[in-house]
Amino acid sequence: MKHLLALTTLAALGVGLLFVPARGGDKGLDSPYYPLKKGTTWEYVADGKKITTTVTDHEKVGDLLCAKIETDLGGGAKMIEHVAVKDDGIYRVRANNEDIKPPFLILKLPPKKGEEWTVDSTAKGFGIKGKFSIAAEDKVKVGKTEYTAFQVKSAELKMGGQNASMEACFAKDVGMVKQQFKLPGAGLERTIELEKFTAGK
């Protein structure tokens, strides 16, 4: 159960469902749609519970400079991830000390309406396959705040062989502000919304 929770939370936080082969050079940690300065913090609400995600450090994983991101899932559960920025997008490289093969592309940069790609990646034997697309940049209301954000949608998505679906909204200079995730086989349906964003320095 804990293993399933960790994996589905990983997906629900938008931390690595999207993938295309990496190309181009390392851009450091400059990412307009996923701020990665040390101290950057996102406070989300899901099912009435708070989930806090913080960029705690910058360190290398192999040859890639990555942001180390720690997520407090509540109840003493935590997740540690490493995110890198390439010329073509933002990649999830490692989760809980397990390499993601190949790395997930979280979001193509710069985001453009109509972009489409396929997914076929594995993390600790857990496979994720499917198709994704970027919808037009539009207004999205999260709580009392309105953001202008790109929406990423999934199609034919399978996680661990189970059907799943995901929609996520990314706002410039903030990152992910909302996500809806469904894993029917596990009886999981979750909406995650940003409650507070604190920029790092």
Side-chain angles (χ1 to χ4, degrees):
M1 179 61 69
K2 287 185 179 179
H3 180 62
L4 176 61
L5 176 62
L7 290 168
T8 53
T9 301
L10 179 88
L13 284 172
V15 294
L17 292 178
L18 317 182
F19 166 75
V20 292
R23 61 182 183 275
D26 184 352
K27 288 186 66 177
L29 292 174
D30 178 22
S31 53
Y33 286 87
Y34 201 144
L36 293 172
K37 290 183 179 179
K38 292 181 185 180
T40 299
T41 302
W42 299 264
E43 296 175 37
Y44 295 101
V45 174
D47 300 329
K49 297 180 180 180
K50 192 171 183 177
I51 298 172
T52 303
T53 299
T54 304
V55 179
T56 59
D57 204 355
H58 292 166
E59 57 189 27
K60 280 200 168 185
V61 175
D63 294 329
L64 287 175
L65 178 63
C66 295
K68 181 180 180 181
I69 301 174
E70 298 187 18
T71 298
D72 184 347
L73 303 171
K78 291 188 177 182
M79 180 167 59
I80 298 176
E81 306 158 283
H82 287 80
V83 172
V85 180
K86 303 288 287 185
D87 287 338
D88 59 343
I90 306 161
Y91 288 83
R92 188 75 40 186
V93 176
R94 180 179 289 175
N96 287 336
N97 296 316
E98 294 289 337
D99 290 341
I100 299 171
K101 299 179 180 180
F104 299 133
L105 175 67
I106 299 169
L107 184 69
K108 280 192 174 185
L109 295 177
K112 294 180 182 178
K113 178 185 176 181
E115 289 274 16
E116 296 181 342
W117 58 94
T118 59
V119 172
D120 189 355
S121 198
T122 302
K124 201 175 180 179
F126 186 84
I128 301 174
K129 295 183 179 182
K131 298 179 181 179
F132 288 83
S133 62
I134 298 179
E137 191 174 27
D138 204 353
K139 301 291 185 180
V140 57
K141 193 168 184 179
V142 181
K144 296 181 180 180
T145 305
E146 186 174 73
Y147 297 94
T148 299
F150 281 100
Q151 187 177 45
V152 176
K153 296 185 177 182
S154 66
E156 302 176 20
L157 181 64
K158 287 188 178 294
M159 298 183 64
Q162 297 186 50
N163 293 329
S165 65
M166 187 275 289
E167 294 183 7
C169 297
F170 291 87
K172 190 174 182 181
D173 300 323
V174 178
M176 195 188 80
V177 297
K178 184 176 181 178
Q179 188 181 74
Q180 293 175 303
F181 176 76
K182 295 180 182 179
L183 191 66
L188 179 66
E189 183 173 342
R190 180 168 294 167
T191 297
I192 293 176
E193 294 188 329
L194 183 66
E195 185 176 64
K196 183 180 179 181
F197 170 75
T198 303
K201 297 180 180 180

